[in-house]
Structure formats: structure tokens, C-alpha cells
Amino acid sequence: MKHAWLPRRFAHRWSMRSRLLSIVLSSTVVAGLVGVMAMYWAATVENERMHDEHLAELAQTVMRFAEHELLESMPASGPPAGGVVDDETTTTLGTRFMYQIWSQDGRLMLRSHNAPPTPLAALGRMGYGTQEFIGGAAVTFVARGASHALEVHVADLVEQRNDVVLGSLAAPMGGFALAVLIVLVLAWRAMSQAVGPMTETAAQLVSRSPTDLTPLEVANMPIELQPIVDAINALFTRIMGALIHERDFSAMAAHELRTPLAALRLYAQVAQSASRGIDDAILKESLGNLLVNVDRCSHFVDQLLALARAEGAPELALTGPMDLERVVADVFDDMAFEADRRNIGLRSHLGVLAMHGRRAGVQTLLRNLVSNAIRYSPEGGEVEVRAFEAEDAVVLVVDDNGPGIPVADRDKVFDRFRRLSDDGRGFGLGLAIVRAVADTHRATIELSQAPLGGLRVQVRFPRPEPVMPNTTLTAATPNET
């Protein structure tokens, strides 16, 4: 039953110590009860056997002294109705046992003080039996003497037999209760020692500063807790790497921004000085250079934002099918001005017109590849975009006839701010953005020599796994549409 009064964050919390203790306690109690029941059954069987033997011995004893007792107690006229009552059995037999002596012709000759005048068992039926009396149920035994002239009936009350069994179990039950108490104490101490490392781990996490990402070190670590601590330490290592990566990124971004910002200030000062001297040529040149550096800074900020979007939301990669022909057309429209300015031809050959993925991400990836191809191709060059299907993937290819990238440097160009030359073209973020988008789509990138003579970038997008239909849905009724 759920506790509605508990806050939601506590509604499903539970104590491992309490649960383990309850398991240990319930297991101990069940095992103990099974043992006690087995002991009770064995004691009952043994008790019945011993008391049956004792009842048979009592019958033999009664039969031996019956003749002597009958001679002393029997009147000359014969036994009275209801037989002669043996008052001496008050002290010898107590209230538990009863006996009767019957003659062969069915007359009650002698009985104990607590025996009824009616037969304790059926006359003539030898052996053991059970009989209900006013005092409760009793086990009976019938035997005959050596001369077969007399028949002795003896009875033993069942309730008093059971009292003996229960009395014999008192000590084992006390020992069992003590054992349960000892098990609880030992289990509590064992649980406390087991959760001690967990408490120590939590204390280390609470007491450390947000920047302290050193690995956790817990003494006497149990094997079951080791994977959790290892996972936390691995997370700390990844966070440390990400923080170092971001610090390096910030430092590199600040460094890259310093040059265009300094140029902006310089050209602004030149323009200001030229405006005072009314030198239109210098003023126009300075303002032109100022605009170029503003565009450069704007492009750099756009690249940073694109990289942040590509790396910050990998789950957005799975958004459904897209029109690849439309994506390529939009990229060519964005790059048309720069391509026309440098007289570079943009061509596309699409063997597949649709693919699965995040449209904005794929468009960003393709825009950066085409932009790089235009930037590094010579004037009058060519940039070609191709798409085709290959087994379980869709492959995008961008070729140019630029200088290409040496084989030794192809693994390095995907790092942030990595540039192969200091000619001022780009900031070294384009291929980093391409790799980030590819990673969100679980795509692979391959660099090679293009047939046009420059660089070929091939991105292989795996097809999404088919979604299995839900076979547990109930069929629609004829009235449902």
C-alpha cells in the first residue's frame, strides 16, 4: 500500500539494512519453526510409543495384583453392581490412569476410584483404542489374564499425555528464542559493518568541494559496492576531462577573438583619424576592413554556437526522415554568394533523396563541409556533393579540388581550433562541428583524396533500427475506427 502522506521523493525509498534484517529474521524464524515442528512431531511419536508401552505394563501389573485384591475386597455374595471400587488407587494411580477388571461373563469385578462403571473399551476387543469420557479423550488398552477368566481395561487421558510433550518442548523453545535474539544482534552488527563503507562514501561526497574530482578511496570496500565507487570515479574522470576540455576551449576562443577584436579597434581608430583629416580613401578602406573583421567575428560566434548545439543535445539526432534534396539546396543557397565571389561551381549528384536524422544537424554538417571546400578551393574551382545508399547506411560525400589534407594530419583536423596554416582562413572549428554532428548521429567520417584532386570527406550515416510493432495491443472492436 502506498503512503499518500509521504512526499513523492520519499514514497519509494527503503532501507537496505531493514530489508536484510527482515529477510534474516524471517528466514531464521521459518527455519526455527520448521525445526520445532519436526521436534514436536518426533517428541509426540516417541511420547505415544512410551505411554503405550507404559499402558500395557500397567495392564499387566493390574492383572497380577487383581486376584489378591479380589480375594480381600470381594463380598461373599459376589461383586456389587458397578464393581468393587479400589480406593488405594487414589494415591497410586492419581487422576490420570483408570482401570477395570471384568469377568468372562461381563460382570465388573473391580475398578479404580476414577473409573466409570461402564466399560472403558469394548468387551472382548483386545489391544489399543480410543474412547471419549467426561474428562476428555483417553487411550485404552484391553488384555486378558493367563487363565482368560478376567479381562483388564486400562485408560490414559490424552490431555495429560500432551502436557508431557509440551513440557518437554519448553527448553528447546527457550533456546530457539535465545538463538533468534543472538542472530538478530549478530545480523545487526554485520549490516552496520556492511553499510559503513556506504556511509563513508556519502560523507566523502558531501564534504568535498565542487571542484574536487579526485577518486574516492574507501577502506574495507565490499565487493558489491566496488562497481558503484568505480562508476563514480569514472564519472569524476570524465567530468575532469570535460572541464579541462572546456577550459582549453575557452582559452582558445579568447585567443582567437583577441586578433579580430584588436583589428576592429585598430581600423576604428584609423577611420576616426581619417574622418578628422577628411581622407575619404583611407576612411573607406578602414571601414571596409572594419566590416570584414566584424563579419569574421560574427562567423566565429556562429561557429561557436553551432559547435555548442551539436555537442550539447545528442538526443536530438533521432527526429525522423528528412528531404535530403531540400537540405542540399538550402546549403547551396547559403553558400551561393561566397561561391559566386570566387567563381566556384557547386554541383550535386543525389542517388538518395531522403535520410533519417536531425535536419538542422545534417544541414550544419553539410554547410561546414561545403564552406571549407569553397574556402580552400582555388578560384574557378569545383565543389561536388554526392549522396548514395550503401548497405545499411546513407553516405554523404563532399569533394573539392583544393590542396587537400596530408595523411599524417587527417586525424588532427577534427580537434577544436586546429588549423594546418596561419593564412587567416577560418578558425579551425568547421571539422570539429562536423565531427560533433556525426557523433550525435552515430555516423563515421573518412577523409581521402578526391577525384577532383583535393579533399574528399565521406560521412556514413547508419540507418535507424526498425521499430518492432507492439503485439500486445488489443484488437479494435468492429465499432472502432
Side-chain angles (χ1 to χ4, degrees):
M1 177 180 179
K2 294 183 178 179
H3 301 286
W5 54 270
L6 284 175
R8 179 174 296 181
R9 59 176 179 157
F10 297 117
H12 301 288
R13 297 181 63 180
W14 54 277
S15 169
M16 183 175 66
R17 179 184 300 179
S18 300
R19 181 168 294 187
L20 291 176
L21 282 176
S22 63
I23 293 174
V24 172
L25 177 60
S26 58
S27 302
T28 303
V29 170
V30 169
L33 290 178
V34 171
V36 169
M37 292 175 62
M39 187 183 303
Y40 177 78
W41 177 82
T44 300
V45 172
E46 182 63 18
N47 181 68
E48 291 295 327
R49 186 190 65 79
M50 292 177 58
H51 282 86
D52 287 347
E53 292 180 355
H54 181 65
L55 199 61
E57 293 176 357
L58 178 62
Q60 297 298 326
T61 302
V62 169
M63 184 61 69
R64 281 195 293 270
F65 78 85
E67 294 182 357
H68 174 73
E69 192 67 24
L70 288 174
L71 289 175
E72 292 183 353
S73 306
M74 187 64 63
S77 59
V84 178
V85 178
D86 185 5
D87 294 329
E88 294 182 0
T89 56
T90 304
T91 57
T92 56
L93 298 181
T95 59
R96 176 177 173 180
F97 295 100
M98 299 178 289
Y99 81 88
Q100 296 172 336
I101 302 294
W102 294 83
S103 64
Q104 192 174 8
D105 56 2
R107 291 182 300 165
L108 179 58
M109 308 296 291
L110 182 65
R111 62 187 175 93
S112 61
H113 71 284
N114 56 346
T118 56
L120 295 177
L123 294 175
R125 182 177 296 176
M126 304 295 107
Y128 296 97
T130 56
Q131 191 73 23
E132 291 289 337
F133 297 99
I134 297 177
V139 178
T140 61
F141 182 76
V142 178
R144 287 179 179 171
S147 61
H148 296 276
L150 298 176
E151 186 174 297
V152 59
H153 292 195
V154 291
D156 182 12
L157 293 176
V158 174
E159 181 179 357
Q160 297 191 25
R161 280 190 173 193
N162 293 336
D163 290 342
V164 175
V165 175
L166 294 177
S168 65
L169 291 179
M173 288 295 294
F176 169 67
L178 180 60
V180 170
L181 181 61
I182 293 175
V183 168
L184 278 178
V185 173
L186 294 177
W188 178 267
R189 293 192 61 182
M191 292 302 105
S192 299
Q193 293 178 356
V195 301
M198 299 176 65
T199 305
E200 182 182 349
T201 302
Q204 289 190 32
L205 292 174
V206 170
S207 61
R208 63 173 51 196
S209 65
T211 58
D212 184 4
L213 296 175
T214 57
L216 293 172
E217 295 183 359
V218 183
N220 299 321
M221 176 71 65
I223 298 176
E224 292 76 10
L225 187 59
Q226 190 66 48
I228 298 177
V229 175
D230 291 344
I232 294 175
N233 289 336
L235 176 62
F236 285 169
T237 301
R238 293 196 299 271
I239 294 175
M240 177 65 74
L243 290 176
I244 294 174
H245 194 59
E246 293 305 317
R247 284 198 294 266
D248 294 343
F249 176 78
S250 300
M252 292 179 182
H255 175 74
E256 292 293 332
L257 278 172
R258 186 180 296 115
T259 300
L261 288 177
L264 285 175
R265 180 178 179 82
L266 175 62
Y267 291 127
Q269 290 174 345
V270 172
Q272 184 180 33
S273 300
S275 64
R276 292 172 183 172
I278 318 179
D279 190 337
D280 292 339
I282 297 178
L283 179 61
K284 184 177 181 180
E285 181 182 0
S286 298
L287 290 177
N289 290 329
L290 189 64
L291 289 175
V292 170
N293 280 274
V294 168
D295 291 340
R296 180 177 170 85
C297 289
S298 177
H299 176 67
F300 180 64
V301 172
D302 289 341
Q303 292 288 77
L304 291 178
L305 291 176
L307 182 60
R309 284 193 297 267
E311 292 184 338
E315 69 279 1
L316 297 179
L318 305 178
T319 57
M322 74 180 74
D323 185 351
L324 188 57
E325 186 177 22
R326 183 71 262 172
V327 171
V328 174
D330 289 344
V331 171
F332 280 3
D333 288 343
D334 293 341
M335 297 290 106
F337 176 79
E338 183 66 20
D340 292 342
R341 189 179 66 86
R342 304 187 66 238
N343 193 27
I344 292 178
L346 300 179
R347 296 183 302 173
S348 65
H349 301 282
L350 304 181
V352 57
L353 301 180
M355 63 175 290
H356 190 278
R358 178 190 175 200
R359 188 184 191 282
V362 174
Q363 188 166 329
T364 299
L365 176 145
L366 191 58
R367 184 186 299 113
N368 278 275
L369 290 179
V370 172
S371 176
N372 280 353
I374 293 173
R375 183 179 299 116
Y376 290 99
S377 293
E379 290 192 17
E382 295 181 7
V383 174
E384 185 178 54
V385 176
R386 299 174 59 243
F388 60 90
E389 292 182 308
E391 297 180 355
D392 58 348
V394 173
V395 181
L396 290 182
V397 179
V398 177
D399 290 339
D400 63 54
N401 57 352
I405 298 176
V407 176
D409 295 327
R410 289 176 183 174
D411 291 335
K412 305 174 184 178
V413 294
F414 293 102
D415 296 339
R416 297 171 176 178
F417 303 105
R418 173 69 68 174
R419 290 180 298 189
L420 299 182
S421 63
D422 295 327
D423 55 5
R425 293 184 294 182
F427 295 92
L429 290 176
L431 290 180
I433 296 173
V434 170
R435 183 180 64 179
V437 174
D439 289 343
T440 63
H441 290 77
R442 297 185 295 278
T444 58
I445 306 174
E446 181 182 350
L447 303 183
S448 60
Q449 184 75 23
L452 298 177
L455 177 68
R456 163 171 284 188
V457 182
Q458 179 174 289
V459 186
R460 187 184 186 93
F461 292 87
R463 293 188 183 276
E465 296 181 359
V467 179
M468 298 299 294
N470 188 353
T471 58
T472 61
L473 295 178
T474 57
T477 62
N479 294 330
E480 293 178 336
T481 59

